[in-house]
Amino acid sequence: MYRYDEFDHAFVRERVEQYRDQVDRRVSGEITEDQFKPLRLMNGVYLQLHAYMLRVAVPYGTLSSTQMRRLAHIARVYDRGYGHFTTRQNIQYNWPKLVDTPKILEELAEVEMHAIQTSGNCIRNVTADHFAGVAADEVADPRPYAEILRQWSSVHPEFSFLPRKFKIAVTGAERDRAAIQTHDIGLHLKKNDAGELGFAVYIGGGQGRTPMVAKLIREFLPESELLSYTTAILRVYNLFGRRDNKYKARIKILVHETGTEELTAQIEAEWEKLRAGELALPDADIAAITSYFAMPDLPERSEGWALLAAEKKRDAQFAAWVQQNVTAHKNPDYGVVTISLKPIGGIPGDASDVQMDLIADIAEAYSQDEIRVTHEQNLVLPHVALADLKAVYDQLAGAELATANNNLITDIIACPGLDYCALANARSIPVAQEISNRFGSAERQLEIGELKIKISGCINACGHHHVGHIGILGVEKKGAELYQITLGGSADNETSIGEIVGRGFEPEKITDAIETVVDTYLGLRTSPEETFIQAYRRVGAQPFKTALYGEPAKAA
């Protein structure tokens, strides 16, 4: 895990004091809310439907136990006893008082955390594969490069006021678990034929009003050129990105309107001016930052295989949890544990202060003091010995954190929706809860298999509904909430945007509609191994449309 140096500590402390002065001036009336807005946004403070909201950065989703305990403390002291983990691998507090936010940031700084650039038209938190450093299919750990990008982009004088917010994701594995093709810039670590490390570069992905899949613009970028090429992309975007219409200000629109080939040529031309300059990454600097992310010295725990087999045989619920929520580690004596923040009927992504403290304790005792946040609103313990899995499971189960539903139908992504957000048109949380309850049977979930449901309360798509196997979008029509269904979205190596299948459903009918979609899939799949997304890509949307709306009218 990256650790702050003297510069980092001083920089964050100075930023806290600057923000404290801004809050004092706002509270005293010296500056108006309009004047204060851009200042608070650059420090992660939103004004939502009922209260201010604070969004705290978790760079590339990596936390220590000490940091998690501090997040729990903030939830307990300054909020209502919980935090909400987001699709940007951050955490949000929905109820802080404005006058308390400088103190919160001060306490975060004490454990090397901040809220800088979690809002506003700047480069947001750089995200990464939540299995980074431990995944068996990994070419290289993406987190050192995410950290390099974080340091480079923090309060960058040229890119602090972009046409619109800008998001970067990095993965280093064969399987994309970071959804890089849904980002403004997606970076996929790879090796060329000579065995040299570099990146495949994608640009122009995004969701919202105009969802688009990112375009591959470079098959291989040497690792030393990371900052120069990223700077070239940002410069072209900053110069030509639209500022007249915020709905058309993302780089995806620039890619679409300019054309991928022409925009790539502009980026390459700008890069040629930069690549021989000071932005070239020295090998020593890459090595220094990479050293922070070295694999911990994991003791040999070969006894775990026999212990695990015996416990699985004795406890069927534990066996189901291992099957669904534990992934292979690079070290065969260890596993990677996904902690579901999706209990049946719960609020996706929420964790109480008590749960966060417990997770911190478990990570300290059993996972080398390390925790990850996933973009799917769960948490991960990356280094758990197989011999310790039962002890970890028992503690998690006692706190409603051992739901065995990773990648199943109740592992739902949902934004806060109209319960909190001033931009939302409809509620997301109650819909997620009702669907979770409807499909809560463990047997039924396993029968359905891998199926990703994602719910957004408005067109901004914070719930990533466009790339859900089943996506649900809340809309407002004549003062009433309706829910539109999309099918066939995906955010992996074969990223796709879901297709709208027809008119929306009333709140009391949307869960029945989802059940109709699921039953239709079960009836048409060729085998229990054929997943929903595979079946959908084979048969298309029509069987589902027919099941939902009846046979289409025939032309006369």
Side-chain angles (χ1 to χ4, degrees):
M1 180 179 296
Y2 180 74
R3 296 178 293 280
Y4 280 16
D5 59 20
E6 289 184 10
F7 173 86
D8 294 320
H9 281 291
F11 168 69
V12 175
R13 283 197 303 267
E14 289 169 5
R15 186 61 176 261
V16 171
E17 291 310 310
Q18 181 188 61
Y19 174 70
R20 192 191 308 277
D21 177 65
Q22 293 164 354
V23 171
D24 288 344
R25 288 189 289 138
R26 174 69 192 106
V27 172
S28 70
E30 184 180 340
I31 59 175
T32 66
E33 177 59 33
D34 285 344
Q35 291 170 322
F36 181 55
K37 181 178 179 179
L39 305 176
R40 62 171 167 78
L41 287 177
M42 292 298 282
N43 291 282
V45 181
Y46 277 88
L47 182 57
Q48 288 207 301
L49 193 61
H50 307 293
Y52 284 99
M53 178 270 280
L54 174 64
R55 180 182 294 145
V56 178
V58 183
Y60 33 88
T62 297
L63 283 168
S64 69
S65 298
T66 298
Q67 290 171 328
M68 181 64 92
R69 289 193 186 98
R70 185 56 54 91
L71 296 179
H73 164 80
I74 290 168
R76 185 163 48 245
V77 174
Y78 299 105
D79 206 276
R80 296 186 177 179
Y82 72 97
H84 176 73
F85 289 94
T86 78
T87 55
R88 195 104 217 108
Q89 297 180 310
N90 293 323
I91 185 171
Q92 292 178 182
Y93 296 101
N94 289 318
W95 300 100
K97 297 176 181 177
L98 179 61
V99 293
D100 288 336
T101 55
K103 180 62 176 173
I104 295 172
L105 296 183
E106 180 184 339
E107 295 198 20
L108 287 168
E110 293 172 355
V111 295
E112 302 187 350
M113 298 187 75
H114 62 73
I116 298 167
Q117 293 184 196
T118 57
S119 310
N121 293 338
C122 55
I123 300 170
R124 299 288 185 88
N125 189 39
V126 179
T127 57
D129 181 358
H130 46 271
F131 291 164
V134 298
D137 65 339
E138 189 171 77
V139 173
D141 190 336
R143 291 175 301 163
Y145 305 96
E147 173 59 25
I148 288 168
L149 288 166
R150 183 197 68 80
Q151 293 189 24
W152 162 82
S153 64
S154 294
V155 198
H156 194 299
E158 191 175 348
F159 305 135
S160 290
F161 295 95
L162 295 166
R164 198 72 173 89
K165 58 187 176 183
F166 202 91
K167 300 178 180 180
I168 303 174
V170 194
T171 190
E174 292 179 11
R175 180 182 176 188
D176 178 14
R177 286 176 289 266
I180 65 170
Q181 293 180 59
T182 67
H183 284 72
D184 299 291
I185 296 178
L187 299 167
H188 199 157
L189 270 165
K190 60 190 295 187
K191 289 185 178 179
N192 63 12
D193 293 339
E196 299 165 325
L197 201 59
F199 305 89
V201 182
Y202 296 80
I203 65 167
Q207 298 187 60
R209 292 173 182 270
T210 313
M212 294 184 182
V213 176
K215 306 295 191 295
L216 178 65
I217 64 166
R218 213 165 212 285
E219 289 279 359
F220 187 83
L221 176 75
E223 63 174 340
S224 63
E225 307 284 8
L226 173 63
L227 294 186
S228 60
Y229 202 80
T230 304
T231 298
I233 295 171
L234 265 296
R235 279 191 174 174
V236 171
Y237 168 57
N238 205 20
L239 183 61
F240 297 111
R242 292 183 61 171
R243 296 177 187 267
D244 62 320
N245 185 335
K246 71 176 184 178
Y247 302 120
K248 298 184 177 181
R250 297 291 291 272
I251 193 173
K252 63 187 178 183
I253 302 299
L254 184 62
V255 173
H256 177 71
E257 292 184 345
T258 307
T260 305
E261 187 174 337
E262 172 58 26
L263 194 65
T264 302
Q266 293 175 11
I267 292 166
E268 294 278 333
E270 183 64 30
W271 182 49
E272 286 300 322
K273 302 174 189 176
L274 295 168
R275 61 184 303 189
E278 60 185 12
L279 288 173
L281 277 172
D283 290 342
D285 287 2
I286 298 173
I289 291 180
T290 300
S291 69
Y292 285 110
F293 299 93
M295 176 77 77
D297 185 14
L298 300 174
E300 183 179 320
R301 299 291 304 277
S302 58
E303 77 278 12
W305 290 88
L307 287 171
L308 178 60
E311 290 291 355
K312 287 168 64 176
K313 188 174 182 180
R314 188 180 66 82
D315 186 336
Q317 287 188 317
F318 170 65
W321 177 79
V322 171
Q323 174 68 29
Q324 205 61 45
N325 287 39
V326 180
T327 306
H329 192 285
K330 285 181 178 179
N331 185 318
D333 292 345
Y334 288 77
V336 184
V337 171
T338 296
I339 300 173
S340 173
L341 297 184
K342 321 287 179 58
I344 302 305
I347 299 174
D350 277 12
S352 72
D353 60 314
V354 174
Q355 289 175 321
M356 286 189 269
D357 275 334
L358 174 66
I359 291 165
D361 291 344
I362 293 172
E364 188 172 63
Y366 298 106
S367 185
Q368 301 293 316
D369 200 31
E370 191 173 335
I371 304 153
R372 307 285 178 80
V373 184
T374 82
H375 82 274
E376 295 186 321
Q377 298 179 294
N378 291 316
L379 300 175
V380 168
L381 301 172
H383 310 288
V384 179
L386 301 184
D388 294 329
L389 283 174
K390 186 60 164 65
V392 169
Y393 169 79
D394 287 343
Q395 292 187 52
L396 292 173
E400 297 186 343
L401 290 168
T403 309
N405 63 349
N406 185 40
N407 289 324
L408 298 179
I409 191 170
T410 62
D411 186 12
I412 298 167
I413 289 179
C415 71
L418 195 55
D419 287 306
Y420 295 96
C421 183
L423 301 176
N425 302 118
R427 292 167 297 169
S428 300
I429 292 170
V431 175
Q433 291 174 303
E434 187 173 332
I435 293 172
S436 176
N437 282 320
R438 178 72 64 89
F439 292 96
S441 161
E443 293 75 19
R444 192 175 189 197
Q445 290 187 69
L446 289 173
E447 178 194 13
I448 295 166
E450 181 177 321
L451 204 170
K452 296 180 182 291
I453 293 180
K454 304 183 181 185
I455 307 171
S456 299
C458 79
I459 197 63
N460 289 303
C462 294
H464 294 191
H465 69 278
H466 291 298
V467 291
H469 298 162
I470 300 176
I472 301 173
L473 169 63
V475 299
E476 183 271 331
K477 188 172 183 181
K478 297 181 180 178
E481 294 171 86
L482 287 177
Y483 294 91
Q484 197 176 72
I485 294 175
T486 60
L487 299 178
S490 181
D492 52 17
N493 298 62
E494 299 178 40
T495 297
S496 55
I497 304 300
E499 177 183 347
I500 299 171
V501 295
R503 67 181 184 274
F505 293 87
E506 292 79 7
E508 64 274 13
K509 296 179 181 178
I510 183 61
T511 302
D512 290 338
I514 298 304
E515 188 159 32
T516 297
V517 170
V518 171
D519 288 344
T520 302
Y521 151 64
L522 293 175
L524 59 78
R525 68 183 179 183
T526 56
S527 73
E529 288 71 41
E530 185 178 40
T531 65
F532 179 91
I533 190 64
Q534 290 169 341
Y536 180 85
R537 288 172 174 168
R538 176 173 58 82
V539 304
Q542 194 54 56
F544 300 95
K545 291 181 178 180
T546 300
L548 287 168
Y549 304 108
E551 292 288 346
K554 295 182 179 180

